[in-house]
Short mmCIF file of all heavy atoms in Angstrom, two decimals:
data_model
loop_
_atom_site.label_atom_id
_atom_site.label_comp_id
_atom_site.label_asym_id
_atom_site.label_seq_id
_atom_site.Cartn_x
_atom_site.Cartn_y
_atom_site.Cartn_z
N THR A 339 111.95 75.56 97.01
CA THR A 339 112.46 76.00 98.29
C THR A 339 113.73 75.23 98.56
O THR A 339 113.86 74.08 98.31
CB THR A 339 111.43 75.76 99.42
OG1 THR A 339 110.28 76.49 99.06
CG2 THR A 339 111.92 76.29 100.68
N PHE A 340 114.66 75.99 99.21
CA PHE A 340 115.87 75.31 99.64
C PHE A 340 116.50 76.03 100.83
O PHE A 340 116.26 77.21 101.05
CB PHE A 340 116.88 75.15 98.57
CG PHE A 340 117.33 76.40 97.92
CD1 PHE A 340 118.53 76.98 98.36
CD2 PHE A 340 116.57 76.98 96.98
CE1 PHE A 340 118.97 78.22 97.80
CE2 PHE A 340 117.01 78.22 96.36
CZ PHE A 340 118.19 78.82 96.83
N GLN A 341 117.23 75.27 101.64
CA GLN A 341 118.04 75.79 102.73
C GLN A 341 119.32 74.97 102.71
O GLN A 341 119.33 73.77 102.87
CB GLN A 341 117.33 75.68 104.10
CG GLN A 341 118.22 76.24 105.16
CD GLN A 341 117.62 75.92 106.55
OE1 GLN A 341 116.92 74.89 106.78
NE2 GLN A 341 117.86 76.80 107.53
N GLU A 349 124.39 83.38 104.39
CA GLU A 349 123.12 83.97 103.87
C GLU A 349 123.35 84.50 102.45
O GLU A 349 122.48 84.37 101.52
CB GLU A 349 122.74 85.17 104.77
CG GLU A 349 122.39 84.83 106.15
CD GLU A 349 121.03 84.24 106.33
OE1 GLU A 349 120.12 84.73 105.61
OE2 GLU A 349 120.87 83.39 107.20
N SER A 352 123.00 81.77 99.93
CA SER A 352 121.60 81.34 99.77
C SER A 352 120.88 82.33 98.92
O SER A 352 120.14 81.97 97.96
CB SER A 352 120.94 81.31 101.14
OG SER A 352 121.42 80.19 101.88
N ARG A 353 121.05 83.60 99.12
CA ARG A 353 120.35 84.70 98.34
C ARG A 353 120.89 84.60 96.91
O ARG A 353 120.18 84.84 95.94
CB ARG A 353 120.58 86.03 99.04
CG ARG A 353 119.84 86.09 100.28
CD ARG A 353 120.12 87.37 101.08
NE ARG A 353 119.56 87.46 102.41
CZ ARG A 353 118.31 87.79 102.73
NH1 ARG A 353 117.52 88.25 101.83
NH2 ARG A 353 117.94 87.77 104.01
N ILE A 373 111.06 86.02 94.83
CA ILE A 373 111.87 85.33 95.84
C ILE A 373 111.33 85.71 97.17
O ILE A 373 111.11 86.83 97.55
CB ILE A 373 113.40 85.73 95.76
CG1 ILE A 373 113.96 85.26 94.43
CG2 ILE A 373 114.14 85.05 96.92
CD1 ILE A 373 115.35 85.84 94.18
N GLU A 374 111.16 84.70 98.06
CA GLU A 374 110.68 84.86 99.41
C GLU A 374 111.84 84.27 100.28
O GLU A 374 112.40 83.24 100.00
CB GLU A 374 109.44 84.10 99.73
CG GLU A 374 108.15 84.55 98.82
CD GLU A 374 107.67 85.87 99.29
OE1 GLU A 374 107.81 86.25 100.45
OE2 GLU A 374 107.09 86.58 98.41
N VAL A 375 112.13 85.00 101.37
CA VAL A 375 113.21 84.53 102.28
C VAL A 375 112.64 84.36 103.67
O VAL A 375 111.95 85.28 104.20
CB VAL A 375 114.34 85.60 102.29
CG1 VAL A 375 115.46 85.21 103.23
CG2 VAL A 375 114.93 85.82 100.90
N LEU A 376 113.00 83.24 104.25
CA LEU A 376 112.53 82.98 105.69
C LEU A 376 113.78 82.92 106.51
O LEU A 376 114.62 82.01 106.33
CB LEU A 376 111.77 81.67 105.73
CG LEU A 376 111.32 81.25 107.14
CD1 LEU A 376 110.32 82.29 107.73
CD2 LEU A 376 110.66 79.87 107.10
N PRO A 377 113.94 83.79 107.50
CA PRO A 377 115.22 83.79 108.31
C PRO A 377 115.17 82.59 109.30
O PRO A 377 114.25 82.44 110.05
CB PRO A 377 115.19 85.14 109.04
CG PRO A 377 113.82 85.67 108.90
CD PRO A 377 113.12 84.91 107.79
N LEU A 378 116.07 81.66 109.00
CA LEU A 378 116.24 80.46 109.90
C LEU A 378 117.77 80.32 110.24
O LEU A 378 118.56 80.98 109.66
CB LEU A 378 115.76 79.28 109.09
CG LEU A 378 114.20 79.10 108.83
CD1 LEU A 378 113.96 77.93 107.97
CD2 LEU A 378 113.47 79.09 110.11
N ALA A 379 118.00 79.34 111.05
CA ALA A 379 119.42 79.02 111.38
C ALA A 379 119.72 77.67 110.79
O ALA A 379 118.81 76.80 110.70
CB ALA A 379 119.58 79.03 112.92
N PRO A 380 120.82 77.44 110.31
CA PRO A 380 122.05 78.28 110.33
C PRO A 380 122.03 79.32 109.25
O PRO A 380 122.69 80.34 109.38
CB PRO A 380 123.18 77.30 110.10
CG PRO A 380 122.61 76.16 109.29
CD PRO A 380 121.16 76.03 109.71
N VAL A 381 121.28 79.10 108.19
CA VAL A 381 121.04 80.16 107.19
C VAL A 381 119.65 80.16 106.76
O VAL A 381 118.87 79.24 106.99
CB VAL A 381 121.97 79.91 105.92
CG1 VAL A 381 123.40 80.09 106.21
CG2 VAL A 381 121.62 78.58 105.24
N CYS A 382 119.25 81.27 106.05
CA CYS A 382 117.91 81.45 105.67
C CYS A 382 117.41 80.37 104.71
O CYS A 382 118.21 79.76 104.01
CB CYS A 382 117.71 82.82 105.04
SG CYS A 382 118.63 83.05 103.52
N ALA A 383 116.08 80.12 104.71
CA ALA A 383 115.42 79.27 103.67
C ALA A 383 114.95 80.23 102.63
O ALA A 383 114.49 81.32 102.94
CB ALA A 383 114.32 78.50 104.28
N VAL A 384 115.10 79.82 101.37
CA VAL A 384 114.74 80.65 100.26
C VAL A 384 113.74 79.95 99.39
O VAL A 384 113.89 78.79 99.08
CB VAL A 384 116.01 81.09 99.48
CG1 VAL A 384 115.63 82.00 98.34
CG2 VAL A 384 117.03 81.68 100.38
N CYS A 385 112.72 80.61 98.92
CA CYS A 385 111.73 80.10 98.06
C CYS A 385 111.68 80.91 96.76
O CYS A 385 111.44 82.11 96.91
CB CYS A 385 110.44 79.97 98.71
SG CYS A 385 109.18 79.18 97.67
#
Side-chain angles (χ1 to χ4, degrees):
T339 302
F340 60 97
Q341 180 187 29
E349 297 281 324
S352 292
R353 292 173 190 272
I373 298 170
E374 300 285 335
V375 178
L376 179 63
L378 293 174
V381 295
C382 61
V384 183
C385 184

